[in-house]
């Protein structure tokens, strides 16, 4: 994770120097990393002042006291914390009370199931839960205009998925960035 954070810092500096922009970047943290205060401090030092979301999974290690303390520390240093893949088969709602979250990313599997009446209810309730807890909500895996309509009707304002773009290399970010309109909401 520290290597990834250093690479992100290099990319951000390059984009700022060469192209005049620094986008918000999300970095997935390994469950073991969030347990280690030394690594968390190195990561925070490396990326201080950058617009970074650290994504964590709620299962397993994220619910331990050390992890929660380290995530609080990252928030205190100015970073946002995102819960990734919410709604996967292993997810529970209990950790939403304990994790210091800014963003909840609703897993693509819930959106895929939202084609049915029951699936739509589950998706809408997951989004409502995130929003009522005061978190930004991101719909993952939006691939079609129909899925975009479903997430919009559920109240989601931030989406990611192939409908807008596949994952981009650092080089391709430069080509993509100017195409974004002022009204797009891509997390």
């Amino acid at each position: 994770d520290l290597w990834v954070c250093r690479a992100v810092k290099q990319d951000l500096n390059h984009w700022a120097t060469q192209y005049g922009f620094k986008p918000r970047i999300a970095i997935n943290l390994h469950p073991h990393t969030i347990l280690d205060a030394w690594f968390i401090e190195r990561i925070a030092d490396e990326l201080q002042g950058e617009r970074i979301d650290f994504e964590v999974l709620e299962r397993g290690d994220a619910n331990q006291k050390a992890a929660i303390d380290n995530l609080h520390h990252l928030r205190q240093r100015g970073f946002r914390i995102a819960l990734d893949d919410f709604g996967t088969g292993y997810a529970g709602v209990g950790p939403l009370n304990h994790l210091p979250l800014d963003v909840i990313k609703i897993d693509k599997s819930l959106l895929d199931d939202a084609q049915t009446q029951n699936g739509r209810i589950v998706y809408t309730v997951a989004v409502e839960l995130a929003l009522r807890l005061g978190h930004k909500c991101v719909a993952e895996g939006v691939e079609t205009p129909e899925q975009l309509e479903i997430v919009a009707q559920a109240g989601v304002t931030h989406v990611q998925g192939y409908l807008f773009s596949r994952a981009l290399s650092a080089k391709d970010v430069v080509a993509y960035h100017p195409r974004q309109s002022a009204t797009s909401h891509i997390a």
Side-chain angles (χ1 to χ4, degrees):
D1 286 346
L2 188 55
W3 179 89
V4 169
C5 290
R6 288 178 175 150
V8 165
K9 177 74 172 190
Q10 287 178 331
D11 289 338
L12 288 170
N13 288 337
H14 174 74
W15 294 330
T17 302
Q18 296 296 315
Y19 307 104
F21 75 98
K22 275 194 173 187
R24 176 169 291 284
I25 300 290
I27 300 171
N28 290 78
L29 291 179
H30 189 278
H32 294 126
T33 298
I34 63 173
L35 290 171
D36 190 319
W38 183 88
F39 271 114
I40 292 298
E41 191 62 30
R42 299 298 76 70
I43 287 170
D45 288 345
E46 187 70 38
L47 294 170
Q48 188 63 48
E50 302 296 348
R51 296 175 49 212
I52 302 292
D53 290 2
F54 288 108
E55 296 185 3
V56 298
L57 299 172
E58 67 182 280
R59 45 191 182 253
D61 298 333
N63 296 311
Q64 294 182 29
K65 183 180 181 335
I68 292 169
D69 290 347
N70 287 334
L71 294 174
H72 275 290
H73 180 70
L74 286 172
R75 281 185 87 211
Q76 290 168 352
R77 294 284 303 263
F79 304 103
R80 293 194 320 193
I81 306 299
L83 180 63
D84 197 16
D85 298 338
F86 180 73
T88 57
Y90 306 100
V93 295
L96 299 179
N97 289 321
H98 308 291
L99 295 175
L101 301 173
D102 301 290
V103 178
I104 295 178
K105 299 178 74 177
I106 308 295
D107 191 71
K108 178 187 183 322
S109 64
L110 289 184
L111 181 56
D112 291 341
D113 289 344
Q115 305 304 314
T116 68
Q117 182 178 354
N118 285 349
R120 179 83 54 105
I121 291 168
V122 170
Y123 193 86
T124 301
V125 169
V127 170
E128 182 180 351
L129 177 62
L131 296 174
R132 289 190 68 186
L133 289 171
H135 305 306
K136 183 170 89 166
C137 187
V138 176
E140 295 182 309
V142 177
E143 298 176 349
T144 67
E146 294 78 23
Q147 288 177 323
L148 184 60
E149 181 63 27
I150 290 169
V151 302
Q153 287 176 358
V156 176
T157 58
H158 293 76
V159 302
Q160 71 181 48
Y162 291 169
L163 180 62
F164 296 97
S165 176
R166 295 191 179 273
L168 300 173
S169 68
K171 178 181 146 193
D172 291 337
V173 167
V174 175
Y176 180 81
H177 183 266
R179 293 189 349 215
Q180 291 187 56
S181 72
T183 59
S184 69
H185 295 279
I186 300 175

